[in-house]
Amino acid sequence: MASQNRLTPTLVHSNALPPVVKQASPVLKVDGLSVAYGKQTVVRDVGFSLERGKSLALIGESGSGKSTIARAVLRLLPAGGQASGHVQFDGRDLLALPERQFRPLRGRAIGFVPQDPGNALNPVRTIGAQAMEAADLTDEPDAAIRKALILDIFAQVGLDNPQRVYDSYPHQLSGGMLQRVLIGLAVLPRPALLVADEPTSALDVTIQKRILDLLSRLQHDLNISLLLITHDLAIAAERADQLVVLKDGTVQEAGNTRAVFSSPNSAYSKKLHSDVPALNPDRYARLRDPGLRLVSGGAEKPSKIEVTDVSKTFTVDGKTTTAVDNISFSVAPGTTHALVGESGSGKTTTIRLLLGLEQPDSGEISVAGERVSGRSRESLREVWRHLQLVYQNPFTSLDPTWTVEQLVREPLDRFKIGTKQERTEQVREALSNVGLGPHLLARKPGALSGGQRQRVAIARALVLKPDVIVLDEPTSALDVSVQAEIVEVLLSLQAKLGLTYVFVSHDLALVRQLAHTVSVMQRGSIVEHGLVRDIFDNPRHAYTAALLESIPAGIQAPSEVPQAAVRRVARKEQIA
């Protein structure tokens, strides 16, 4: 891979690229910005400024106005959106510019990295064909030089085989690779301002760290100003010089990162701080203590789950891949066992084997003394009554045409449990257990918040009164505050009902809050296994250490976090 230090010279020495002009005034100054859709105002009187080469993070939950502000700066508001106030970029008011005068700025002077690379790229065109559009913004007339610039920037952002990436279609690349493609194309014209809208929200923790390190490095090397949109206060604190905290379209707090992070003034900022798992690893210690005592000593009890020497391979187009390679672990009753690792580590295959949705090539799996492996789907029916699954995404796992009552009652109907009246009572009890009232029974998923939907999904799993619940990334689609509510519900239910959880996640900070034991998976194998506190405090495997190092840690040194990240990457001399 090309040296990272080649990035700046490559871009500077291209005659097609605009020269850097140092500005005494802020690169971006937002004053009195409001955004409305018809009569509904969604952003009210927002103001902040961003200096050249510095970074500012807009943080808040969904609906806080973060992305709306970014789109107002980029003049990409949806139809019907009206922005008022002032957005000055290098002294020019962007909102007052005619479209023909603003269009040359977009891409050239103001770059944009969207949240979802899968939707940002055209699936039927190669990466190279789409990259040429970004290269056109450099005004380089020679097509061969434009392609060379693209391949060079791909190397700089950590893509090992730039030519293969250039020739590929989006579906042939991973999410992390696609995000790096977008970042490379955004910085190729060397903009003065880069707007990054949740650029790592869908990525594994290690890929997230690489992307954030990359943005910090590019910001430093090219003197780019970075406007970062995120709901994660730990990421914002680690990567930004300034913070602006938003709620319901208004600024709750703004200022120097260290000041806002260390001593938040507003109640909302304090709540965000308390809800971030990485910043509060022992928040639920009291609720976790009963399970911790079970796994740390005391009376021996039979394991609720036993996975012994299990392997699974898949053959696609004549190529055999080992998805799970001779893994073993056990889970004590009333405790939470976490499976962690990056995408492709084997977590999902493991839980499919545990649920009996796939059969292992070898090895045995048992739940509550009942063997799961080697049984027909019909004979698994009784096992499934005591082994339930909560899916990752509450927005797609619930039938949008059914009411809450129908969704929660369906498992009771399928297993023909109790009378109609008894089922109604059990539905209400399950909803009460997750903190939802009977007034929601007639609502459909579309009328619920994300947190309410996931609580309904948990109630649906609870209604059969199972022994074991498999939680497949149950909070990854939720804001940090809603995530905290769901975690508290899960741990409260475990303490109350003695439930056993298998928790699948790539968020190690959340695992530390929630789980008692953990298995770290890499390429289908378990590389480390044991108590969460032992593994996290003293990792023995390099892969585990790399995962733990990727957890955002918040403030490290006064106002020096982005520079610290740059120095860390420079020492390692790698981003891939």
Side-chain angles (χ1 to χ4, degrees), residues 146-408:
R146 291 201 302 273
K147 181 177 179 180
L149 287 171
I150 293 168
L151 295 179
D152 189 67
I153 200 68
F154 282 174
Q156 306 310 316
V157 299
L159 294 166
D160 289 334
N161 189 335
Q163 184 63 54
R164 183 180 74 83
V165 173
Y166 186 92
D167 294 333
S168 297
Y169 287 90
H171 73 273
Q172 295 174 308
L173 304 178
S174 69
M177 295 174 73
L178 291 177
Q179 196 63 287
R180 280 184 252 190
V181 165
L182 289 179
I183 292 172
L185 299 185
V187 302
L188 179 59
R190 203 179 178 208
L193 172 66
L194 186 63
V195 180
D197 186 4
E198 299 274 13
T200 63
S201 62
L203 304 178
D204 288 328
V205 63
T206 49
I207 302 299
Q208 170 183 277
K209 179 179 179 295
R210 293 171 195 163
I211 295 299
L212 292 171
D213 282 349
L214 170 61
L215 285 172
S216 296
R217 180 61 179 264
L218 294 173
Q219 177 198 342
H220 178 265
D221 285 355
L222 300 181
N223 202 32
I224 290 174
S225 300
L226 176 64
L227 181 62
L228 177 65
I229 317 298
T230 182
H231 66 264
D232 192 326
L233 181 58
I235 287 177
E238 189 177 68
R239 302 289 171 166
D241 299 300
Q242 300 284 319
L243 298 183
V244 175
V245 183
L246 295 157
K247 182 177 186 292
D248 299 330
T250 62
V251 175
Q252 303 294 301
E253 195 162 352
N256 174 272
T257 295
R258 186 170 184 82
V260 175
F261 181 84
S262 302
S263 302
N265 293 318
S266 70
Y268 181 67
S269 297
K270 292 176 182 177
K271 184 177 187 301
L272 276 183
H273 192 288
S274 68
D275 288 339
V276 177
L279 307 179
N280 303 277
D282 297 321
R283 176 173 176 175
Y284 305 107
R286 180 182 59 82
L287 290 172
R288 290 174 64 250
D289 277 351
L292 190 59
R293 286 193 294 270
L294 287 172
V295 296
S296 299
E300 290 290 330
K301 291 185 178 181
S303 297
K304 183 64 71 170
I305 299 172
E306 284 284 354
V307 176
T308 308
D309 301 328
V310 168
S311 295
K312 179 66 177 179
T313 59
F314 294 97
T315 301
V316 179
D317 296 331
K319 183 179 179 181
T320 299
T321 300
T322 301
V324 172
D325 188 7
N326 196 38
I327 66 169
S328 299
F329 63 87
S330 60
V331 186
T335 68
T336 301
H337 183 74
L339 298 175
V340 304
E342 297 174 289
S343 297
S345 62
K347 304 188 305 293
T348 298
T349 300
T350 299
I351 64 170
R352 288 184 62 81
L353 291 167
L354 176 62
L355 291 163
L357 301 176
E358 300 281 356
Q359 290 297 318
D361 300 332
S362 60
E364 292 187 4
I365 300 172
S366 63
V367 176
E370 290 283 330
R371 183 170 175 173
V372 175
S373 52
R375 297 175 62 159
S376 67
R377 294 181 71 88
E378 184 61 33
S379 67
L380 281 169
R381 184 174 168 81
E382 188 60 29
V383 175
W384 285 337
R385 177 173 174 176
H386 302 285
L387 176 64
Q388 288 291 298
L389 170 67
V390 176
Y391 290 94
Q392 179 174 358
N393 192 339
F395 298 93
T396 58
S397 64
L398 301 176
D399 189 326
T401 66
W402 284 25
T403 65
V404 168
E405 182 173 18
Q406 290 174 310
L407 289 165
V408 178

